[in-house]
Amino acid sequence: NNGGGQISGGGSIEQKTFYDQIITADDGEDIAFTVFVPDNPTGRAAPLVVHGHGFGLSPITDLENPAPISAFISGDVSGDVAKRAWLEEGFYVISFDQRGFGESTGSITVMDPDIDCRNVSAILDWAESNLVNLSHRNGDPQVGAIGLSYGGGFQTVCASVDDRFDALVPLATWNHLPYSLYANGVPNSLWLDFLTLASQGNLEPYLLEAIFAATTTGDIDPDTVARLAGNGPRSFCNREQGRSPSGADALFIQGSNDALFNMNEAVANYECWRDTGNEAHLFIQRDGHILPALQTAGELILFGTEPVLNCGATQFNTRDMAMAFLRSKLLGQPTPALPDICFSIPGT
């Protein structure tokens, strides 16, 4: 999905705009998203970047003049890169309501590949039919993705289901949910409580029952653990149930102090992508999901990504690096010089 070839588009003149769209999922639920069309007076071919929001947060609905709350919620690295992709790079951008959040209906499955990823595939189907200058290489649409936490999970899981993704930038996301939420049989109670609160009671019933049991008795039904195990890239990397891993290249950024998705999960994702033959890079920084009052918050209340990453004597602006990676993969340009692995140490 990442090879060279002729890039083509529709050639129609477009003007910069954005609008909301709702389509119907396979199960009859609504899929809501906002489409950002670049200023494109020559009708050149333009790739698409799909932005996914974090759990309990919201998509980007206005990149030019967002309301204060919306600006804060989307004001992380992923939101800033999505804005640059549209305004500065001339890419299409789609930011969508994850299933069960905002205007997207249905219960929250925590990234069930057979449900959530079918919704994501439906968005790509819509994009292919309606974005007149969407660029293609060898008949394949050029699609990248960015998002943090839950917005990273949609990338690693759904890019393993749908091979139209070419480049991923997952920030602080999981490899194996049973490890994230129930490592060694010990419930991660703080974050399980957060999942319940942020879902506003809209979780799949089996998940609500499992979280209640975990936080009251400490036990989770083994069938639930097995089901959650299928909602992560590890099941694809291990080729379970006839699955196979993603063919998209990836830039992983994870926090060493992350209290929910620690760097072991990023290492596992990186190794999977590398061993599959994809280009993969792993940057470990300090910030991530934090424990309030016990850890320093980053740019958001419960999450942060450092703006500058230090790899030995070389500094990387996180936003510039993410944008350069997407640009190189979606426009067929040479990949920027990035280390395979970097443990960023402040001030070095």
Side-chain angles (χ1 to χ4, degrees):
N1 200 36
N2 303 310
Q6 183 67 36
I7 295 180
S8 61
S12 299
I13 294 175
E14 292 178 310
Q15 293 183 335
K16 183 181 68 175
T17 187
F18 59 95
Y19 55 90
D20 297 328
Q21 182 72 38
I22 295 179
I23 60 177
T24 304
D26 288 346
D27 58 1
E29 301 290 354
D30 289 339
I31 309 169
F33 51 94
T34 301
V35 184
F36 295 88
V37 176
D39 189 12
N40 193 0
T42 63
R44 72 189 184 286
L48 166 66
V49 171
V50 181
H51 169 267
H53 63 79
F55 197 91
L57 299 181
S58 303
I60 301 169
T61 57
D62 187 343
L63 284 169
E64 289 190 304
N65 299 293
I69 294 178
S70 177
F72 173 74
I73 290 174
S74 63
D76 63 280
V77 168
S78 68
D80 289 345
V81 172
K83 180 176 182 178
R84 288 177 59 175
W86 178 51
L87 290 176
E88 298 177 17
E89 302 292 336
F91 291 6
Y92 291 105
V93 172
I94 288 178
S95 184
F96 71 101
D97 283 318
Q98 305 265 16
R99 179 184 172 89
F101 292 102
E103 299 300 315
S104 289
T105 58
S107 55
I108 299 167
T109 71
V110 193
M111 213 53 63
D112 185 314
D114 296 325
I115 299 176
D116 289 77
C117 293
R118 286 184 180 177
N119 287 14
V120 171
S121 291
I123 294 173
L124 296 188
D125 291 341
W126 181 93
E128 285 207 78
S129 297
N130 293 276
L131 303 182
V132 296
N133 289 307
L134 179 62
S135 60
H136 290 71
R137 182 178 290 123
N138 297 331
D140 183 52
Q142 296 302 105
V143 181
I146 193 164
L148 68 85
S149 191
Y150 204 55
F154 102 83
Q155 297 178 64
T156 57
V157 178
C158 298
S160 300
V161 172
D162 193 317
D163 65 4
R164 286 175 288 186
F165 285 96
D166 298 281
L168 314 175
V169 185
L171 293 88
T173 196
W174 68 89
N175 173 262
H176 187 54
L177 282 174
Y179 174 78
S180 313
L181 301 174
Y182 196 59
N184 301 315
V186 179
N188 191 340
S189 299
L190 174 66
W191 286 100
L192 287 171
D193 288 341
F194 172 78
L195 287 177
T196 304
L197 179 65
S199 72
Q200 299 183 1
N202 200 27
L203 283 168
E204 283 273 315
Y206 88 95
L207 289 171
L208 282 172
E209 293 172 6
I211 291 174
F212 178 77
T215 54
T216 54
T217 68
D219 294 324
I220 299 179
D221 181 76
D223 290 339
T224 297
V225 175
R227 189 169 175 180
L228 276 176
N231 293 11
R234 193 176 90 161
S235 66
F236 290 88
C237 296
N238 291 345
R239 301 181 184 274
E240 297 168 2
Q241 305 174 45
R243 294 171 170 176
S244 57
S246 169
D249 296 328
L251 168 61
F252 296 100
I253 302 175
Q254 202 94 350
S256 60
N257 296 332
D258 198 303
L260 177 58
F261 304 134
N262 65 38
M263 65 181 182
N264 293 332
E265 305 221 48
V267 170
N269 283 334
Y270 165 78
E271 290 178 342
C272 168
W273 260 251
R274 179 201 61 192
D275 293 347
T276 302
N278 302 313
E279 180 181 333
H281 305 274
L282 171 61
F283 282 73
I284 300 295
Q285 43 108 41
R286 288 177 302 174
D287 291 340
H289 300 84
I290 60 100
L291 296 172
L294 298 178
Q295 292 176 281
T296 301
E299 294 171 293
L300 303 178
I301 294 174
L302 294 176
F303 183 87
T305 303
E306 293 185 72
V308 176
L309 302 177
N310 298 277
C311 302
T314 305
Q315 285 191 331
F316 293 92
N317 179 290
T318 310
R319 289 163 172 80
D320 290 347
M321 178 178 66
M323 190 67 254
F325 180 79
L326 289 171
R327 186 190 306 118
S328 71
K329 296 302 172 185
L330 300 180
L331 297 180
Q333 299 177 354
T335 303
L338 299 177
D340 290 340
I341 300 176
C342 167
F343 283 78
S344 177
I345 300 176
T348 64

